[in-house]
Amino acid sequence: MDWDSFAEWGEKAARWTQDYHQTVKDKPVRAQTEPGDILNALPELPPEQAQPIEDIFQDFEQIVMPGITHWQHPRFFAYFNANTSPPSVLAEFLTSAIAAQCMLWQTSPAATEMETRMMEWLRHALDLPTGFAGVIQDSASSATLAAVLTMREKALSWQGNQQGLFAQKPLRVYCSAEVHTSIDRAIWVAGIGQQNLVRVLTKGDWRGMDPVALEQAIQSDLDSGLHPAGVILSVGGTSVGGTDPVEECLKVAAKYGLYTHVDAAWAGSAMICPEYRHYWQGVERADSIVFNPHKWLGVQFDCCAHFLKNPEDLVQTLAISPEFLKTHGKDGIINYSEWSVPLGRRFRALKLWFVIRAYGLEGLRTRLRNHVNWSVDLHDRLATEPDFEITTKPMWSLWTFRYAPDGAVDLDDLNLRLVNAINDDGRIYLTQTRVDGNLTIRFQAGQFETTEDDVRVAYDVITEIARSLT
Ligand SMILES: *Cc1c(COP(=O)(O)O)cnc(C)c1O
């Protein structure tokens, strides 16, 4: 294939894309293939000779597509959604056409300056104070790792990178049990060690950290000669939306001079709506905040917004700046590769620019509000069914339930069978979690094309399949 035939195939791909999105709602949401089906359909060895693009495209449809779980299906209610949207697909198409590697300002000034401006737009959209600077990371996991490394280096007066951790007192980091596993992994990779990630007790409907318990944990570590380094807060945890009392916890952290990071990977997008901001009141006291526009703002993976009160701390932690990467003669330029663990970076700001302009903040807010309202409606309806039990209340559009008919003995087994039967049925897609040790089923709405009717279908499917099991 060469560029001469590209436009023809580009048009075919564009028509395929439109048709896919307009008909995906008629397909089962979760892939219905067995393990190995796709692997076995792919030749064991690569071709020695060029193959026509017709054949490749045909195999894409016949081999690949049956093995796809449709994340853009309007009845994808599992995990958290990872949306795309027409303007985002278009922007990514152009990004891949340009294929710039945007590690330094000079390796594409437009990418750097667009990123600066888009992070300012997002900061404005979330109503964060102007003091915050932003960078786009590939994922929340990477942003959290960068924050934990910064936390570590600050606590060690910037000696960790130089000396390693062998001669240091154990560093201690505090979080609740509701944080995402990316926090554990950042702690491992940063050399802090799982046993130094202190789980502070949670309380209340939001399953948030108890600030009094946080202070006690820090104090008791200080008394034992350990070295508190930072606090990581959850706003909208992945399991049930666990959310810490941000302001009180950040005040405790400030009292002890600890670096703070807020993981709002999913729920951060909702903060473009003023009515949800009470969930993270006081967040402006944090040193580092992360959220994923690639979840709920309609730009596809990867696009993670990372805000920093003092980006100098992050740059001091991560920048190496060997001579051959230096950009001479331009003052005040930003080399975003100094703000992240990977050196190479994609032009991720373009899709934000397309999407925010194509929908406007008001268009995005309307989608988010609809998702929350429709999800809460479904919760209210299921709550009136005597054979169902609400296990956690809605946090934005996420809540959990169990099927618990009179006389049922093993509810964990029943609910696992229920979630599997629902996903085999294919009309909707749900996932399970554990709440206080009990298996329970999550519901969340957040796909960009979801309608109120799709959420109503979820009610029919859940009640119908549950009652057919007993
Ligand atoms: C999705 C999620 C993450 C991980 O996000 P990635 O961008 O996939 O690394 C972290 N924390 C929370 C709360 C999440 O929902």
Side-chain angles (χ1 to χ4, degrees), residues 80 139-141 180 182 236-238 263 265-266 292 294-295 301:
F80 288 132
S139 63
S141 305
H180 187 265
S182 57
T238 311
D263 178 9
W266 164 63
N292 280 340
H294 70 227
K295 278 187 171 141
F301 193 85

